[in-house]
């Protein structure tokens, strides 16, 4: 009959077989004959309800009379949805089945709608919840829990007032009162709250009353949103705008099409243009002196990429400006680009100051160099003057033309001495221009001067790579780099040591080591300057390139030497690396990108005048052989007995042999083996208090040092190089004739 009515039917003879069939393929409805229920229809019905997928399965129990005569039919069971007494008319059975199937279909649709509603509510971007009439949460979606930082289990049962800032809990109680007494069906408010971790937030609440069919309040429905960002923006918007307007940097904001929508006052002051002067897309292109740079900036922004760098730009009244520019996309909370912002900082004066600073650094380096240069030139001038003056002492035996030529030599040496003195004050001031430079030539050209700068107790080694590529750089700046590194190495070796200057060519395929942000792949020329000095402490190593940071004693350094080296390397698209071990020394490596090869003097003293003479014994200590030879010749021609020494050690040996007869120590201040003229003067004067001392140097009297008490008490005299023969004769005689100084 059921098949004729259009139903698909599957049958089971026993309750066990029925359960297996239900688990295999759940039906839409179950007809259970209590005669097939193994005598226990209640247990069979419970088993069907517990079967997988059978929770909402409609069950119709057909009850028939018992086989025993007179037994009543089975009582209806609560687990069955309907119970029909057998026999059941076909029409009644079919109508009952269709009614239950329609009800089941409606129930399934309702469950599906409910599931979709619950999923929608759970995934909503706003907090939703139900509150009891007392204000405790009875249900909350995920977003509401996330807003306050609680789990769902922690929220349920918690009073909403406990999530508010303590001073606002009375406001919530008043809100509840208004809703429950019928003053309002819905109330919207914004209140400061507290998260579980104690942090503060602002939340908006929209609370409504849910009522039953009789109109009695059942519970409260709350819609909650985190409005902390909006509240912060509202509170700070005026301050942000005031900050932007008062910023020293010129700020421009563009929309996504590149049209300028805002400029601050600094922008108008710097460029002389407001919004009305910047029409159309990317109008700031006209501000760039180099249109290619402007296009590069605009193209980067059009690709939603940031751009940073410096450029020449046209300022107000057509002024040429050096501007540090930072341009970035503006993104919303979802990361979509909604515009662009550009910040312009006028660094014209700063760059001019930096140029002045570099000039000052060159002057400082030349000031350090001047002593060595003067010493070098003065030794040569001493030999030139001395030989000419020795010849003029016998001028009566020379032709007149020869005498005139000798006087010309003396005049030229005076001019050279004047130029040497001027090195103490002046330095080059020409405009710096980059060009193709061979670093080997820079090292070679400075080598002789560097040897004088580093003192004679430091051994210097220069190792130059063959076939070294050129670099595109300012030669003066490279000299500054080398000079500063050498001076730094010298100061790190107060007791002498080994200084090594090396050049090399290398190819860097990847980012070099040490994580230097300025490093990049390519072909480079590397300048290495290493020393065997005291090294650099690890906590100081990260700060040595900071301007004005120095580890030297007060008055001994400006803290700008290594900062200048780093700055120059960066300007040449290079970088500096350093490695050091305390007590072992340091090595600085400067990487630079390789390129394809591309007057009248003062009157001369009359050497024909009779010079003061003597017969005393003099210990002459001078490391330059030519200077020592001419000095000895001048002194012996004046009648003195001269004992020579080329170093401090030789002077000690000679002193031990002849200290009884030596009346005067005539010594250069700087000597090659660690003992200076000052050291010899102190030792010899201690051993022989009546000894007369005359020290010479091309560096100037400041090389005598700070111990002025010793020199005053011992009567030390000083003679600057180059000294003429008459000056030398008079200085020696005057020193020998001086009375013993009063040491009281």
């Amino acid at each position: 009959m059921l098949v004729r009515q259009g139903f698909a039917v599957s049958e089971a003879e026993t309750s066990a077989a029925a359960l297996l069939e239900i688990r295999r393929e759940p039906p839409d409805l179950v007809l259970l004959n209590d005669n097939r229920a193994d005598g226990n229809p209640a247990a069979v019905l419970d088993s069907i309800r517990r079967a997988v997928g059978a929770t909402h399965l409609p069950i119709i129990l057909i009850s028939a009379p018992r086989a025993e005569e007179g037994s009543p039919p089975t009582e209806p069971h609560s687990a069955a949805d309907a119970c029909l007494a057998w026999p059941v008319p076909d029409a009644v059975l079919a109508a009952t089945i269709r009614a239950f199937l329609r009800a089941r279909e409606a129930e399934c649709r309702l469950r599906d709608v409910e599931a979709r509603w619950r999923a929608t509510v759970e995934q909503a971007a706003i907090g939703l919840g139900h509150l009891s009439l007392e204000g405790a949460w009875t249900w909350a979606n995920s977003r509401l829990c996330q807003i306050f930082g609680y789990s769902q289990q922690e929220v349920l049962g918690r009073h909403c007032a406990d999530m508010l800032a303590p001073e606002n809990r009375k406001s919530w109680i008043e809100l509840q009162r208004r809703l429950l007494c019928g003053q309002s069906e819905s109330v919207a408010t914004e209140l400061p709250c507290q998260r579980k971790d104690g942090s503060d937030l602002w939340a908006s609440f929209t609370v409504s009353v849910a009522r039953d069919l009789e109109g009695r309040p059942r519970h409260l429905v709350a819609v909650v949103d985190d409005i902390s960002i909006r509240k912060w923006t509202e509170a700070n918007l005026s301050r942000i705008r005031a900050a932007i307007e008062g910023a020293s940097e010129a700020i421009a904001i563009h929309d996504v099409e590149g049209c300028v929508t805002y400029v601050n006052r600094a922008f108008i002051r710097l460029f002389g243009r407001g919004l009305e002067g910047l029409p159309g897309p990317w109008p700031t292109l006209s501000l760039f002196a180099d249109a290619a740079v402007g296009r590069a900036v605009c193209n980067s922004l059009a690709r939603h990429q940031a751009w940073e760098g410096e450029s020449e730009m046209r300022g107000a009244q057509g002024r040429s400006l050096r501007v540090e520019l930072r341009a970035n996309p503006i993104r919303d909370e979802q990361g979509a680009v909604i515009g662009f912002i550009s910040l312009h900082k006028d660094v014209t004066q700063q760059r001019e100051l930096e140029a002045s600073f570099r000039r000052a650094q060159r002057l400082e380096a030349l000031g350090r160099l001047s002593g060595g240069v003067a010493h070098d030139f003065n030794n040569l001038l001493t030999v030139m003057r001395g030989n000419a003056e020795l010849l003029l002492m016998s001028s009566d035996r020379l032709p007149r033309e020869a005498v005139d030529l000798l006087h010309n030599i003396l005049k030229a040496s005076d001019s050279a001495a004047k130029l040497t003195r001027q090195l103490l004050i002046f330095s080059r001031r020409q405009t710096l221009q980059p060009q193709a430079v061979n670093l080997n030539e820079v090292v070679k050209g400075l080598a002789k001067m560097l040897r004088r700068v580093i003192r004679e107790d430091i051994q210097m080694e220069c190792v130059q790579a063959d076939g070294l590529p050129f670099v595109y750089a300012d030669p003066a700046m490279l000299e500054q780099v080398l000079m500063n590194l050498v001076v730094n190495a010298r100061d790190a070796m107060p007791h002498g040591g080994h200084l090594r200057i090396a050049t090399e060519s290398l190819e860097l395929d990847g980012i070099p080591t040490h994580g230097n942000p300025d490093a990049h792949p390519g072909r480079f020329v590397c300048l290495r300057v290493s020393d065997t000095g005291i090294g650099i402490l690890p906590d100081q190593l990260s700060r040595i390139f900071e301007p004005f940071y120095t580890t030297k004693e007060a008055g001994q350094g400006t803290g700008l030497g290594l900062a200048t080296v780093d700055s120059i390397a960066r300007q040449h698209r290079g970088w500096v690396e350093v490695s050091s071990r305390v007590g072992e020394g340091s090595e600085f490596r400067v990487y630079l990108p390789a390129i394809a090869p591309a007057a009248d003097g003062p009157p001369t003293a009359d050497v024909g005048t009779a010079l003061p003479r003597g017969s005393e014994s003099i210990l002459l200590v001078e490391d330059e052989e030519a200077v020592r030879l001419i000095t000895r010749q001048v002194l012996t021609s004046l009648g003195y007995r001269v004992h020579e020494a080329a170093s401090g050690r030789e002077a000690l040996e000679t002193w031990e042999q002849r200290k009884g007869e030596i009346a005067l120590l005539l010594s250069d201040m700087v000597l090659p083996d660690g003992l200076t003229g000052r050291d010899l003067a102190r030792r010899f004067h201690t051993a022989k208090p009546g000894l007369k001392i005359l020290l010479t140097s091309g560096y100037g009297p400041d090389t005598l040092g700070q111990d002025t008490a010793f020199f005053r008490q011992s009567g030390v005299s000083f003679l600057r190089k180059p000294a003429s023969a008459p000056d030398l004769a008079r200085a020696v005689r005057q020193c020998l004739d001086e009375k013993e100084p009063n040491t009281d």
Side-chain angles (χ1 to χ4, degrees):
M1 184 277 293
L2 293 177
V3 174
R4 289 198 307 273
Q5 292 290 331
F7 298 107
V9 179
S10 60
E11 301 180 65
E13 292 293 328
T14 65
S15 59
L19 288 172
L20 288 174
E21 184 67 20
I22 289 171
R23 290 191 178 96
R24 185 184 66 82
E25 185 177 357
D28 296 320
L29 183 141
V30 174
L31 283 175
L32 177 63
N33 189 333
D34 63 352
N35 286 333
R36 304 288 180 146
D38 301 328
N40 190 357
V44 174
L45 288 169
D46 289 339
S47 298
I48 292 173
R49 288 296 186 204
R50 291 194 300 270
V52 177
T55 306
H56 304 287
L57 185 65
I59 303 174
I60 299 175
L61 180 66
I62 297 178
S63 176
R66 294 289 184 185
E68 297 83 2
E69 189 170 338
S71 297
T74 302
E75 290 294 326
H77 193 272
S78 60
D81 295 289
C83 187
L84 300 177
W86 187 263
V88 182
D90 293 350
V92 172
L93 181 60
T96 302
I97 291 173
R98 287 191 174 92
F100 273 99
L101 289 177
R102 285 194 297 270
R104 183 172 188 270
E105 183 180 1
E107 184 181 355
C108 288
R109 285 198 300 268
L110 183 62
R111 282 199 304 271
D112 183 58
V113 170
E114 182 182 1
R116 287 200 300 269
W117 180 84
R118 286 189 177 276
T120 300
V121 169
E122 279 299 315
Q123 297 174 13
I126 199 167
L128 300 170
H130 291 171
L131 294 152
S132 68
L133 298 180
E134 291 75 27
W137 294 102
T138 58
W139 171 80
N141 72 343
S142 299
R143 175 56 182 158
L144 190 142
C145 299
Q146 182 185 24
I147 288 173
F148 294 102
Y150 292 95
S151 67
Q152 199 157 28
Q153 291 76 18
E154 292 171 329
V155 168
L156 299 182
R158 183 177 295 275
H159 203 285
C160 183
D162 295 338
M163 297 176 172
L164 304 180
E167 63 274 13
N168 288 282
R169 290 172 184 171
K170 289 183 179 180
S171 300
W172 177 261
I173 295 173
E174 173 61 20
L175 180 149
Q176 281 184 269
R177 188 195 66 77
R178 290 172 54 194
L179 289 170
L180 297 179
C181 72
Q183 288 184 1
S184 302
E185 286 298 309
S186 179
V187 176
T189 187
E190 296 176 349
L191 295 171
C193 303
Q194 285 186 332
R195 298 185 180 91
K196 177 184 176 181
D197 60 8
S199 59
D200 297 328
L201 77 152
W202 272 87
S204 67
F205 291 84
T206 302
V207 186
S208 305
V209 181
R211 301 181 182 274
D212 60 16
L213 295 177
E214 286 75 27
R216 294 187 297 269
R218 292 182 56 190
H219 60 269
L220 302 178
V221 178
V223 179
V224 185
D225 195 14
D226 184 351
I227 59 171
S228 303
I229 294 177
R230 177 169 65 80
K231 280 290 185 180
W232 183 92
T233 303
E234 290 173 355
N236 291 276
L237 187 59
S238 60
R239 277 181 285 180
I240 293 172
R241 185 176 183 88
I244 293 175
E245 279 296 314
S248 59
E249 292 184 331
I251 300 174
I253 297 177
H254 305 68
D255 62 19
V256 290
E257 302 299 327
C259 298
V260 178
T261 58
Y262 169 82
V263 293
N264 67 347
R265 288 194 295 265
F267 188 97
I268 298 173
R269 286 196 303 269
L270 185 63
F271 296 108
R273 300 190 194 183
L275 286 178
E276 65 283 353
L278 297 166
W282 306 116
T284 51
L285 264 174
S286 61
L287 300 177
F288 288 88
D290 186 347
V293 177
R295 285 193 296 271
V297 175
C298 296
N299 290 339
S300 293
L301 293 177
R303 294 192 298 270
H304 298 173
Q305 297 174 352
W307 193 94
E308 290 188 16
E310 284 190 16
S311 177
E312 295 289 337
M313 302 188 77
R314 300 184 181 93
Q317 289 85 45
R319 292 186 302 122
S320 178
L321 302 173
R322 189 69 183 174
V323 175
E324 187 179 85
L325 172 61
R326 287 176 293 153
N328 294 276
I330 304 172
R331 300 180 184 273
D332 61 16
E333 294 180 355
Q334 286 72 41
V337 174
I338 58 175
F340 309 98
I341 184 171
S342 57
L343 292 85
H344 311 74
K345 182 179 180 181
D346 183 4
V347 294
T348 308
Q349 186 177 11
Q350 179 182 339
R351 296 296 175 259
E352 291 173 352
L353 289 174
E354 288 173 356
S356 298
F357 163 71
R358 286 194 295 270
R359 289 194 293 269
Q361 280 294 99
R362 287 200 302 275
L363 288 171
E364 180 186 356
L366 283 171
R368 294 174 178 174
L369 265 177
S370 60
V373 173
H375 185 278
D376 195 21
F377 281 132
N378 289 337
N379 281 336
L380 296 174
L381 293 173
T382 298
V383 176
M384 293 168 57
R385 287 189 63 92
N387 282 285
E389 288 168 340
L390 282 175
L391 289 172
L392 285 173
M393 288 179 184
S394 305
S395 60
D396 54 342
R397 296 196 297 270
L398 296 175
R400 182 60 190 175
E401 293 80 4
V403 173
D404 291 341
L405 292 174
L406 290 172
H407 279 292
N408 288 338
I409 292 174
L410 293 178
K411 186 179 293 186
S413 67
D414 287 336
S415 298
K418 181 179 179 181
L419 290 174
T420 303
R421 288 192 296 272
Q422 288 175 341
L423 283 175
L424 299 172
I425 303 173
F426 298 104
S427 67
R428 292 173 296 175
R429 295 187 180 182
Q430 70 273 18
T431 303
L432 300 175
Q433 296 292 337
Q435 61 189 60
V437 179
N438 188 313
L439 196 55
N440 282 344
E441 295 299 321
V442 175
V443 174
K444 182 178 178 181
L446 282 180
K448 193 169 185 180
M449 292 183 181
L450 295 176
R451 294 185 191 276
R452 295 301 179 188
V453 170
I454 61 174
R455 302 192 314 269
E456 293 169 339
D457 58 351
I458 297 175
Q459 295 180 348
M460 187 175 80
E461 175 188 13
C462 294
V463 180
Q464 298 177 351
D466 295 329
L468 194 69
F470 283 71
V471 295
Y472 189 65
D474 188 315
M477 283 190 174
L478 296 187
E479 291 175 358
Q480 182 78 61
V481 167
L482 182 56
M483 185 63 61
N484 285 11
L485 291 177
V486 168
V487 169
N488 189 72
R490 178 201 66 186
D491 294 342
M493 297 184 287
H495 306 297
H498 184 83
L499 169 67
R500 187 174 188 269
I501 303 172
T503 60
E504 64 174 323
S505 172
L506 67 165
E507 189 86 25
L508 301 178
D509 295 327
I511 297 299
T513 57
H514 306 100
N516 193 309
D518 295 311
H520 52 90
R523 191 181 184 199
F524 294 88
V525 173
C526 181
L527 171 66
R528 296 177 180 265
V529 178
S530 57
D531 62 71
T532 57
I534 58 177
I536 306 170
L537 294 173
D539 60 336
Q540 296 173 345
L541 202 59
S542 61
R543 299 190 59 195
I544 58 174
F545 294 115
E546 293 180 11
F548 306 109
Y549 178 78
T550 179
T551 59
K552 300 175 185 177
E553 297 178 0
Q556 297 300 311
T558 63
L560 297 172
L562 292 178
T564 300
V565 171
D566 184 62
S567 175
I568 292 174
R570 289 170 183 264
Q571 290 178 41
H572 289 85
R573 298 185 66 250
W575 68 94
V576 184
E577 293 180 359
V578 58
S579 56
S580 180
R581 288 193 176 184
V582 177
E584 296 183 18
S586 306
E587 181 183 68
F588 288 81
R589 299 176 296 278
V590 181
Y591 295 84
L592 299 172
I595 63 171
D600 293 333
T604 304
D606 185 6
V607 295
T609 306
L611 300 178
R613 304 173 63 84
S615 58
E616 293 90 344
S617 291
I618 299 175
L619 175 55
L620 171 62
V621 187
E622 171 60 62
D623 59 307
E624 288 285 344
E625 183 178 2
V627 176
R628 190 172 66 250
L629 175 62
I630 193 62
T631 304
R632 185 193 67 191
Q633 289 177 337
V634 171
L635 292 175
T636 54
S637 70
L638 296 174
Y640 296 103
R641 287 169 290 148
V642 179
H643 307 285
E644 300 177 49
S647 66
R649 300 298 175 189
E650 288 186 24
L652 290 176
E653 295 174 1
T654 305
W655 172 261
E656 290 300 323
Q657 298 171 6
R658 301 182 177 275
K659 60 183 175 182
E661 63 180 274
I662 294 175
L664 172 70
L665 170 65
L666 174 59
S667 175
D668 190 7
M669 281 293 299
V670 180
L671 298 172
D673 55 359
L675 284 174
T676 66
R678 181 173 57 247
D679 297 331
L680 295 177
R682 190 181 297 278
R683 288 194 185 191
F684 295 169
H685 186 268
T686 301
K688 188 176 181 179
L691 178 70
K692 301 301 176 66
I693 302 171
L694 177 59
L695 298 178
T696 67
S697 178
Y699 292 113
D702 55 337
T703 55
L704 291 175
Q706 302 298 319
D707 192 4
T708 56
F710 164 74
F711 295 109
R712 184 176 64 254
Q713 294 171 4
S714 58
V716 173
S717 299
F718 181 81
L719 179 64
R720 183 191 292 273
K721 293 181 179 178
S724 65
D727 290 341
L728 176 62
R730 284 189 287 269
V732 169
R733 190 67 262 163
Q734 183 179 356
C735 186
L736 287 167
D737 292 342
E738 281 184 352
K739 296 181 180 180
E740 290 291 326
N742 185 5
T743 59
D744 296 335

